[in-house]
Amino acid sequence: MSIDNPNTEFTVVINEQEQYSIWPTYHNTPTGWKEVGVIGNKETCLAYIKTTWIDMRPKNLKENLASTNSN
């Protein structure tokens, strides 16, 4: 079990399905994810995600539901 270092700096990342996560800045951003420009401690990054990611469905599901409902 690892304990988070309170001094660890994170960046908020998003994937092509518009799903969010946080990633330590001392690691390269993983393939398939891009930084959104928010950097800070864990609490700051998670607070951003909480207020931004209000619909947790993957992008392709939202698009499929929208096209089904428009027919």
Side-chain angles (χ1 to χ4, degrees):
M1 174 190 233
S2 65
I3 298 174
D4 288 339
N5 181 333
N7 297 321
T8 300
E9 184 177 68
F10 292 91
T11 184
V12 178
V13 293
I14 190 170
N15 67 18
E16 66 183 25
Q17 289 298 316
E18 298 177 350
Q19 297 167 310
Y20 288 84
S21 188
I22 62 173
W23 197 253
T25 57
Y26 58 84
H27 285 298
N28 292 332
T29 303
T31 303
W33 294 82
K34 64 180 181 177
E35 296 179 22
V36 301
V38 176
I39 296 174
N41 63 23
K42 187 174 188 176
E43 293 77 24
T44 298
C45 292
L46 292 176
Y48 172 83
I49 291 172
K50 184 177 181 178
T51 60
T52 304
W53 192 18
I54 55 175
D55 185 348
M56 298 184 98
R57 297 175 298 170
K59 182 180 178 182
N60 63 353
L61 176 61
K62 291 185 278 189
E63 290 173 348
N64 287 340
L65 290 173
S67 67
T68 302
N69 290 336
S70 65
N71 291 330

